[in-house]
Amino acid sequence: MNGVDFKWSGFISEYPVNDLGSDAYAFIEILYPLCRSITGAGTRQTLQLVSQEIDLNVSEVATGTQVFDWTVPEEWNIRDAYVEDMAGNKIIDFKLSNLHVVSYSMPVDETLSKEDLDSHLHSIPEHPEWIPYRTSYYNKTWGFCLPENQRKSLSDEQYKVYIDSDFKQGSLSYGECYIKGESKEEFLLFTHICHPSLCNDNLSGISIATQLAKYLSSQKLNKSYRIVFAPATIGSISWLSQNQDKLLNIKAGLVLAVAGDSGSLTYKRSRNAGSYIDRMVLNVLETSGKEFNTLDFSPYGYDERQFASPGINLPVGSLMRTPNGCYPEYHTSADNLDLVKPEYLSDTIQAYIDVLNIFDNNTTFINLQPYGEPQLGKRGLYRKTGGLQDIEESILAKLWVLNLSDKDNDLLAISIKSKMTFKTIQCAAEELFQAGLLEHVKE
Ligand code: ZN
């Protein structure tokens, strides 16, 4: 028997993606209240909650550690913060929304004039009901964020401001889930974990990455998978700096963020356009029958820019829904539990699983009957096959696989040329292989 060593992984079976979207939403609800930042208790607690779902290895990188050109900052923690009017009413209260305080705010306890307070306030005039999300990681200051309407209504001469926060020699936390398959070749999934109560950016990423890790752990896999949960920028740089020995096995990767809103899927290409990850993702999107958008690589955005730095240069793209900065609720209190929906999370999860299926099962066969078309009828290959839409499609897929299985084309190349889904091509190859018409080419 030819190619007895070849086995498909478990992906080809149908999977309950709708359930995964509901589970992802439920996990977002659990994570939503925590006050995350690039360091501190909320981020650590988030990783603890993730580790209750999947096998997560959490690392701590001490304050002061040099990571490439950066230094891990002091750990920031906050317990309480408010602004009180002259009558003693808390008019801005961190306990009602953690977005009210600029992340990494210094401790403060003083009474200020309205003008002095105003220089520490942030609001969005175009969206007067929303609280903006602001950070000041590397420039020590303090600040409060509030709706523009509330800011305009401030009429007392003086206000008491109180922030109970501290900086200490602590650490930055990141988590890593490694799922081992037959081959050492790896797919890297990265999601940032540093945003407080904001759903699309970035709880959708954390939650989908957790569901994907769970899903992958339940499969028999040909390839290996590494799923990294780390703060943006300083976190991805810390991870890269501390794991340089692992980078050689990474053959493709995706940065996962803004993944639960109603927009179409958007793919941002990797640094070297036409890379393996670009071909896999674009194939999934082009054969999905749904609308999608693409963006060329640029050295701005999420952590793909660290993976794409010239010294690292990994083939990592970003598969998202509406890009960061391109939806009005981005980085505001309106990026809440109403903006993300289970069905959009499911749709993103489906696309990711389709990409991972290609990565796990893409391989090359050779046609053992290349002189004329082999007679499919006498081998029972004209039957309707389970799971495919109609008999014409399944026969056409077999003809494509037979025609292009000449050592130069892997199944992904056949899917791209035929414009048929990878799964359709995969099913056709499986039948032809079972019938002895294909031999597996060893990689
Ligand atoms: Zn963000």
Side-chain angles (χ1 to χ4, degrees):
M1 181 73 197
N2 297 311
V4 282
D5 59 326
F6 177 74
K7 289 193 179 68
W8 302 105
S9 65
F11 280 89
I12 201 157
S13 58
E14 289 306 311
Y15 30 78
V17 170
N18 287 338
D19 293 352
L20 296 184
S22 305
D23 291 352
Y25 188 84
F27 197 42
I28 288 174
E29 288 181 304
I30 292 169
L31 298 173
Y32 185 65
L34 296 176
C35 183
R36 280 161 291 269
S37 184
I38 52 172
T39 64
T43 308
R44 213 167 274 127
Q45 211 177 332
T46 297
L47 291 172
Q48 267 163 15
L49 287 165
V50 172
S51 70
Q52 287 171 15
E53 302 288 316
I54 59 173
D55 193 5
L56 194 74
N57 187 13
V58 177
S59 300
E60 299 286 342
V61 188
T63 298
T65 306
Q66 189 74 24
V67 287
F68 298 134
D69 195 43
W70 297 59
T71 307
V72 173
E74 287 179 303
E75 182 178 324
W76 179 74
N77 283 290
I78 180 163
R79 289 159 292 276
D80 195 11
Y82 54 83
V83 175
E84 248 177 33
D85 65 14
M86 286 168 78
N89 303 307
K90 280 185 191 173
I91 53 162
I92 307 172
D93 190 351
F94 169 77
K95 288 188 171 153
L96 297 180
S97 169
N98 54 38
L99 296 174
H100 275 313
V101 176
V102 173
S103 189
Y104 261 68
S105 276
M106 294 159 60
V108 55
D109 184 6
E110 55 187 288
T111 301
L112 294 176
S113 69
K114 187 187 153 195
E115 287 66 37
D116 287 348
L117 172 65
D118 196 70
S119 67
H120 289 275
L121 297 183
H122 306 269
S123 58
I124 318 168
E126 313 86 77
H127 297 290
E129 305 289 337
W130 299 350
I131 308 167
Y133 163 55
R134 295 283 183 272
T135 65
S136 186
Y137 303 134
Y138 301 102
N139 176 27
K140 273 203 177 166
T141 181
W142 61 269
F144 282 90
C145 304
L146 74 170
E148 170 77 5
N149 284 346
Q150 191 188 358
R151 185 179 186 172
K152 278 201 215 146
S153 73
L154 296 179
S155 54
D156 284 8
E157 278 171 25
Q158 289 194 316
Y159 289 90
K160 175 181 160 62
V161 295
Y162 179 70
I163 299 178
D164 179 15
S165 65
D166 61 50
F167 295 90
K168 65 174 182 189
Q169 297 291 310
S171 56
L172 172 150
S173 320
Y174 63 72
E176 204 176 333
C177 172
Y178 179 67
I179 303 162
K180 194 175 179 310
E182 284 291 311
S183 159
K184 270 191 197 167
E185 291 191 355
E186 266 181 36
F187 194 103
L188 173 74
L189 265 180
F190 180 93
T191 190
H192 60 279
I193 56 166
C194 50
H195 291 34
S197 296
L198 293 165
C199 285
N200 201 32
D201 177 23
N202 65 193
L203 292 176
S204 66
I206 301 175
S207 189
I208 289 179
T210 305
Q211 295 307 318
L212 289 171
K214 254 194 206 175
Y215 176 77
L216 287 165
S217 305
S218 72
Q219 301 296 315
K220 182 185 67 63
L221 299 165
N222 288 326
K223 304 282 170 68
S224 297
Y225 296 82
R226 192 177 299 277
I227 302 162
V228 179
F229 300 79
T233 311
I234 184 69
S236 54
I237 288 173
S238 296
W239 183 80
L240 280 166
S241 156
Q242 302 215 320
N243 293 279
Q244 292 177 68
D245 55 324
K246 293 177 184 161
L247 306 185
L248 225 57
N249 289 329
I250 296 172
K251 302 302 172 199
L254 286 172
V255 166
L256 171 53
V258 283
D261 65 277
S262 64
S264 309
L265 284 164
T266 299
Y267 180 61
K268 179 178 168 183
R269 289 178 180 82
S270 62
R271 181 173 187 247
N272 300 309
S275 65
Y276 192 32
I277 186 64
D278 289 358
R279 292 171 66 235
M280 289 191 284
V281 177
L282 292 171
N283 174 255
V284 166
L285 296 176
E286 279 163 5
T287 58
S288 71
K290 297 174 190 165
E291 271 185 37
F292 66 94
N293 305 300
T294 61
L295 296 170
D296 286 336
F297 173 76
S298 73
Y300 188 70
Y302 290 123
D303 292 281
E304 65 277 7
R305 61 192 207 257
Q306 310 310 335
F307 298 112
S309 55
I312 305 291
N313 199 21
L314 284 172
V316 174
S318 181
L319 180 56
M320 56 199 145
R321 300 190 77 82
T322 307
N324 45 309
C326 297
Y327 58 100
E329 300 88 350
Y330 174 74
H331 281 187
T332 77
S333 55
D335 185 350
N336 58 23
L337 291 163
D338 294 329
L339 186 73
V340 296
K341 299 244 177 329
E343 57 263 39
Y344 309 137
L345 295 163
S346 294
D347 189 60
T348 306
I349 291 171
Q350 174 78 69
Y352 269 83
I353 290 182
D354 287 344
V355 172
L356 298 174
N357 174 49
I358 297 177
F359 184 73
D360 218 66
N361 283 305
N362 187 30
T363 190
T364 306
F365 290 98
I366 187 155
N367 178 351
L368 296 172
Q369 293 288 343
Y371 305 103
E373 238 170 50
Q375 196 182 346
L376 296 180
K378 76 176 181 188
R379 296 178 171 88
L381 296 175
Y382 259 78
R383 286 191 315 260
K384 182 170 167 57
T385 12
L388 293 175
Q389 285 152 1
D390 55 55
I391 194 155
E392 295 303 326
E393 189 186 39
S394 84
I395 292 168
L396 189 59
K398 286 178 198 127
L399 296 177
W400 273 109
V401 172
L402 286 166
N403 188 280
L404 292 177
S405 290
D406 56 1
K407 269 191 176 163
D408 291 334
N409 296 291
D410 56 17
L411 295 181
L412 175 60
I414 299 173
S415 173
I416 291 169
K417 285 184 191 173
S418 68
K419 298 187 168 59
M420 299 176 103
T421 68
F422 184 86
K423 263 197 256 181
T424 305
I425 294 300
Q426 190 179 352
C427 288
E430 185 176 29
E431 276 197 71
L432 294 166
F433 179 69
Q434 293 300 335
L437 285 169
L438 297 178
E439 183 176 43
H440 182 227
V441 178
K442 280 189 182 150
E443 281 145 277

